[in-house]
Amino acid sequence: MTERITYKDAGVDVELADRVIQSSADRIRSTFRPEVLGKMGGFAAMFKPQLSGMSEPVLVAATDGVGTKLKIAFLTGIHSTVGIDLVAMNVNDILVTGAEPLFFLDYLATGKIKPEIFKAVISGIAEGCSQAGAALIGGETAEMPDFYGEGEYDLAGFCVGMVDQGQAIDGSGIASGDVVIGLASSGLHSNGFSLVRKVFFEVKGYDPDSHIPDFGRPLGEELLTPTAIYVRPVLELVKQSPPKGMAHITGGGFQGNIPRILPPNVGVNIRKSAWERPPVFAMLQKDAGLDDEEMFSTFNMGIGFILVVSPTSADMTMRHFRAAGTPAWIVGEVRPIGDSPVVLE
């Protein structure tokens, strides 16, 4: 007689996955907006958007992950913040159009589900959704034996938002003389971590528990600072005085992201001394031996989100962010196109 071999014997525990998801159900439901229909656990989620007040509603979608920042979570055992990163990378992307994030879905894949890790990750995702005002309406947990290392997992996220087409922000109206405003990042956010890990852990020999005086906490905790979510203060500004263009400063830094919103006839001058950079950038630059050009083309350098506004709107925009408690600086201006779309001064 052939020996009975079950799915669980092969390393996939469907019942455990269901139990862990149910244990997070209340936290997930806490993110639901009134537009969410039905209950958890179905094959697909339903969302009935409120279209009143919109003449031409347009859906805006984005997908992203956390990248090798997850390796820091594996090293430290801190899994409660990467879910916030996952949401932030998506909602900040759709925010540049002026869209409001409506709902979010996640994908978590691992070799073997560990309930305490899973719950911490889902809690972070729910926290990110709460900060962004997006409903966490669905997800997939894939248990894939022999595919990931012990204790490792991967994350992907998917966000859908909506904007009235006539109110969408695309940068087409940006002109020479406009003002560039930068919103503070919370640190490295979620890009460049392959370089970060190589420099700090391989070249310099630090470990996640290394205490760095400038940080006031262990290196691992500093590196896991979650990505800032700019949705609420920026959408409030959009309602009052829409910017001409906005950019999320992620992989590719200033040179890789700002040109994506510029008309072909203009560029920007960025004043590097206009804001205070978190100390992690100075430490990374010194230890990696990189010049400013390389740093600004890889990292956010302390500015996670850029807005371009008319000169007459600059003061009001700065007052708005001060009132919202969001650190902001006038970091540059738009000028006729030259040799480079982004010039560092």
Side-chain angles (χ1 to χ4, degrees), residues 94-100 162-164 167-169 230-246 305 307 309 316-317 320-321:
I94 71 169
L95 179 62
V96 303
T97 68
E100 176 186 2
M162 189 163 60
V163 66
D164 197 333
Q167 305 299 318
I169 297 169
Y230 301 101
V231 172
R232 295 187 188 275
V234 170
L235 285 184
E236 283 300 316
L237 175 70
V238 168
K239 294 175 184 176
Q240 301 171 38
S241 179
K244 290 186 175 184
M246 298 188 287
F305 202 84
L307 306 96
V309 303
M316 183 280 295
T317 302
H320 167 81
F321 286 118

Side-chain angles (χ1 to χ4, degrees), residues 18 28 47-48 75-77 85 117 131 228 281 286 293 323 331:
D18 289 342
I28 294 170
F47 189 96
K48 183 178 181 180
L75 288 171
T76 61
D85 288 300
I117 293 177
Q131 290 184 27
F281 294 105
K286 177 178 177 293
E293 196 73 23
V331 299

Side-chain angles (χ1 to χ4, degrees), residues 66-73 85 189-190 193 223-227:
V66 182
T68 61
K69 185 173 184 174
L70 292 176
K71 288 282 191 180
I72 313 298
D85 288 300
H189 284 186
S190 298
F193 271 83
L223 298 182
L224 283 174
T225 303
T227 304

Side-chain angles (χ1 to χ4, degrees), residues 150-229:
E150 175 66 23
E152 295 190 350
Y153 54 86
D154 198 10
L155 291 174
F158 314 88
C159 186
V160 173
M162 189 163 60
V163 66
D164 197 333
Q165 186 172 351
Q167 305 299 318
I169 297 169
D170 62 7
S172 59
I174 294 174
S176 183
D178 285 338
V179 176
V180 181
I181 292 175
L183 305 185
S185 73
S186 55
L188 290 165
H189 284 186
S190 298
N191 63 277
F193 271 83
S194 294
L195 175 58
V196 170
R197 291 185 299 109
K198 182 175 184 63
V199 171
F200 287 160
F201 299 141
E202 292 184 29
V203 176
K204 301 304 294 184
Y206 299 123
D207 62 53
D209 294 325
S210 296
H211 185 80
I212 310 298
D214 286 348
F215 301 160
R217 56 179 170 172
L219 176 60
E221 291 183 20
E222 174 68 23
L223 298 182
L224 283 174
T225 303
T227 304
I229 293 176

Side-chain angles (χ1 to χ4, degrees), residues 267-338:
V268 297
N269 287 4
I270 299 294
R271 293 189 298 276
K272 297 181 292 184
S273 61
W275 69 93
E276 183 179 351
R277 302 179 199 173
V280 67
F281 294 105
M283 178 178 170
L284 179 60
Q285 184 168 7
K286 177 178 177 293
D287 289 347
L290 299 177
D291 60 25
D292 275 356
E293 196 73 23
E294 291 171 306
M295 290 293 292
F296 275 80
S297 64
T298 305
F299 301 102
N300 68 63
M301 300 303 287
I303 297 293
F305 202 84
I306 288 285
L307 306 96
V308 180
V309 303
S310 67
T312 56
S313 300
D315 287 344
M316 183 280 295
T317 302
M318 291 296 294
R319 289 196 301 271
H320 167 81
F321 286 118
R322 280 196 292 269
T326 302
W329 300 270
I330 293 177
V331 299
E333 58 279 323
V334 180
R335 41 116 181 122
I337 190 67

Side-chain angles (χ1 to χ4, degrees), residues 20-188:
V20 174
I21 292 170
Q22 285 304 313
S23 70
S24 301
D26 288 344
R27 185 65 185 95
I28 294 170
R29 288 193 194 95
S30 71
T31 71
F32 283 9
R33 297 164 53 116
E35 301 98 321
V36 177
L37 304 179
K39 60 182 182 179
M40 286 181 56
F43 288 96
M46 293 187 291
F47 189 96
K48 183 178 181 180
Q50 301 298 317
L51 304 181
S52 60
M54 286 195 178
S55 58
E56 296 180 280
V58 174
L59 294 177
V60 183
T63 182
D64 209 338
V66 182
T68 61
K69 185 173 184 174
L70 292 176
K71 288 282 191 180
I72 313 298
F74 305 155
L75 288 171
T76 61
I78 300 171
H79 303 278
S80 57
T81 61
V82 290
I84 301 175
D85 288 300
L86 183 66
V87 176
M89 297 302 287
N90 283 275
V91 298
N92 289 341
D93 274 356
I94 71 169
L95 179 62
V96 303
T97 68
E100 176 186 2
L102 298 178
F103 57 84
F104 189 87
L105 301 97
D106 69 89
Y107 173 82
L108 189 158
T110 186
K112 182 175 180 57
I113 291 175
K114 295 192 173 183
E116 67 281 2
I117 293 177
F118 180 94
K119 289 178 69 174
V121 173
I122 292 299
S123 176
I125 295 172
E127 172 59 27
C129 286
S130 295
Q131 290 184 27
L136 177 55
I137 63 171
E140 166 69 4
T141 303
E143 195 170 26
M144 302 164 63
D146 307 321
F147 204 83
Y148 294 92
E150 175 66 23
E152 295 190 350
Y153 54 86
D154 198 10
L155 291 174
F158 314 88
C159 186
V160 173
M162 189 163 60
V163 66
D164 197 333
Q165 186 172 351
Q167 305 299 318
I169 297 169
D170 62 7
S172 59
I174 294 174
S176 183
D178 285 338
V179 176
V180 181
I181 292 175
L183 305 185
S185 73
S186 55
L188 290 165

